[in-house]
């Protein structure tokens, strides 16, 4: 129907199903080589395996005429869209709701020994019903109960955990670090080192102190503690998803938060030019 996105891996379109007129998102990707094709097939496999209300739903895929087409659930946009307009102004209970939903999706993955490895606002999808879902599994990795750590360096620099940057063994805790960076995005508009040369960003992440909120006086002690817990440089001390779901900041989420978030998003969309 129309193109709604363009990224490094390909284009995204709104498509409709001929039989019933329902709308979906279609990712159209031309793999550059066999290695990239394997990465895409990995995304498809892990999306298929991750059936959860906080993970983007996968429907089908095709390998045709040099392209791979992936049909997934259509969402209104991603968290980056909201951050660009509303960073630092989103009520904390709504931020807590977004985090709760993302953590719930990550917990589902982590419980099955999967690491997302690219948690960032671009890959957190939202719609006008107030739903929040994890998407884009191009960097996701499958662990096993016997081998619970990996050493491959992948991800987007500003959101990468120190142990990932240095090539050390790492596990699901790298996703927790990335969550903390998303918290800085929500509060300040962008992650640390975004404007630095990528190599310099990686150096600063690995050698510098943990990033922190610049204006702590604007935020509650619970939010500050949540961010700092996620951004502990020692992954052994970093909390698990289960522990984060019991964090005082997440416990502030009211029972009707999804309705409030939907209303907030609709109001925001109505005010946009």
């Amino acid at each position: 129907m129309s193109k709604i996105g363009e990224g490094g891996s390909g284009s995204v379109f709104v498509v409709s199903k001929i039989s019933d007129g329902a709308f979906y998102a279609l990712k159209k990707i031309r793999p550059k080589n066999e290695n990239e094709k394997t990465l895409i097939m990995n995304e498809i496999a892990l999306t298929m395996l991750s059936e959860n209300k906080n993970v983007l739903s996968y429907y089908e895929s095709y390998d045709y005429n040099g392209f791979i087409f992936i049909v997934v659930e259509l969402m209104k946009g991603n968290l980056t869209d909201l951050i660009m307009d509303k960073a630092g102004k989103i009520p904390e209970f709504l931020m807590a709701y977004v985090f709760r939903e993302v953590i719930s999706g990550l917990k589902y993955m982590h419980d099955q020994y999967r690491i997302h490895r690219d948690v960032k606002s671009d890959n957190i999808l939202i719609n006008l019903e107030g739903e929040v879902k994890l998407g884009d599994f191009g960097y996701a990795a499958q662990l096993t109960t016997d081998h619970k750590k990996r050493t491959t360096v992948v991800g987007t620099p500003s959101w990468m955990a120190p142990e990932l940057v240095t090539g050390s063994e790492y596990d699901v805790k790298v996703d927790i670090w990335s969550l903390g960076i998303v918290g800085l995005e929500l509060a300040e508009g962008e992650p640390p080192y975004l404007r630095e040369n990528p190599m310099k960003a990686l150096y600063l992440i690995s050698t510098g102190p943990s990033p922190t909120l610049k204006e702590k006086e604007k935020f509650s002690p619970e939010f500050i503690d949540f961010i700092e817990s996620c951004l502990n440089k020692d992954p052994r001390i970093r909390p698990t998803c289960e522990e984060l779901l019991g964090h005082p900041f997440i416990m502030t989420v009211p029972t009707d938060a999804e309705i409030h978030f939907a209303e907030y998003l609709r109001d925001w969309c109505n005010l946009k030019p």
Side-chain angles (χ1 to χ4, degrees):
M1 307 293 288
S2 61
K3 182 188 284 191
I4 56 171
E6 185 81 45
S9 63
S11 305
V12 183
F13 301 85
V14 175
V15 297
S16 66
K17 190 174 180 180
I18 292 170
S19 61
D20 61 9
F23 293 104
Y24 300 88
L26 175 75
K27 293 180 72 173
K28 179 184 178 183
I29 306 166
R30 186 193 286 276
K32 297 183 182 71
N33 49 50
E34 281 302 311
N35 184 55
E36 188 168 291
K37 187 172 182 177
T38 301
L39 193 69
I40 295 163
M41 299 307 288
N42 179 57
E43 174 179 356
I44 293 169
L46 291 197
T47 306
M48 286 174 68
L49 289 167
S50 300
E51 291 187 22
N52 177 272
K53 78 179 188 72
N54 296 119
V55 175
L56 194 69
S57 295
Y58 163 90
Y59 294 103
E60 53 198 22
S61 54
Y62 313 91
D63 184 354
Y64 175 72
N65 204 22
F67 289 93
I68 292 177
F69 298 85
I70 308 172
V71 182
V72 295
E73 180 179 10
L74 179 65
M75 298 288 280
K76 178 67 176 175
N78 60 32
L79 197 58
T80 308
D81 301 329
L82 183 63
I83 286 170
M84 288 174 70
D85 273 359
K86 293 286 189 177
K89 301 173 186 174
I90 303 167
E92 281 199 14
F93 82 95
L94 292 182
M95 291 198 290
Y97 166 71
V98 169
F99 275 115
R100 187 190 70 185
E101 299 300 284
V102 174
I103 295 165
S104 297
L106 276 179
K107 181 179 183 300
Y108 176 80
M109 291 184 69
H110 292 176
D111 287 348
Q112 298 183 59
Y113 303 100
R114 295 192 193 110
I115 318 175
H116 190 285
R117 297 198 295 184
D118 202 21
V119 175
K120 56 183 180 179
S121 59
D122 292 25
N123 294 334
I124 297 170
L125 305 170
I126 55 179
N127 65 21
L128 295 183
E129 285 69 54
E131 294 178 310
V132 180
K133 305 197 179 202
L134 267 174
D136 203 334
F137 293 86
Y139 288 131
Q142 177 74 61
L143 301 171
T144 67
T145 51
D146 297 325
H147 189 74
K148 295 183 181 179
K149 292 187 181 289
R150 294 178 69 95
T151 55
T152 320
V153 179
V154 296
T156 310
S158 289
W159 290 264
M160 286 169 66
E163 65 271 25
L164 196 63
V165 170
T166 58
S168 306
E169 284 197 334
Y170 62 86
D171 58 15
V172 296
K173 294 290 189 72
V174 298
D175 290 338
I176 304 300
W177 175 279
S178 300
L179 271 180
I181 300 297
V182 172
L184 297 181
E185 285 188 89
L186 283 163
E188 299 171 350
E190 61 183 43
Y193 318 129
L194 183 66
R195 300 177 190 278
E196 299 284 359
N197 173 284
M199 292 308 296
K200 184 177 180 182
L202 293 174
Y203 173 77
L204 292 169
I205 291 165
S206 61
T207 62
S210 295
T212 186
L213 290 161
K214 295 186 180 80
E215 298 178 278
K216 291 185 179 179
E217 67 278 3
K218 291 184 176 180
F219 302 98
S220 69
E222 292 80 10
F223 179 62
I224 295 166
D225 184 72
F226 177 85
I227 299 296
E228 292 180 350
S229 297
C230 292
L231 295 178
N232 194 306
K233 291 195 79 170
D234 186 344
R236 296 169 298 178
I237 298 173
R238 232 173 277 155
T240 63
C241 284
E242 189 165 352
E243 289 168 338
L244 284 178
L245 288 172
H247 190 279
F249 177 62
I250 302 301
M251 299 302 286
T252 63
V253 178
T255 54
D256 58 352
E258 185 172 340
I259 295 170
H260 285 292
F261 189 54
E263 290 172 348
Y264 185 84
L265 291 177
R266 289 193 199 105
D267 289 345
W268 166 60
C269 286
N270 289 336
L271 289 171
K272 289 181 77 174

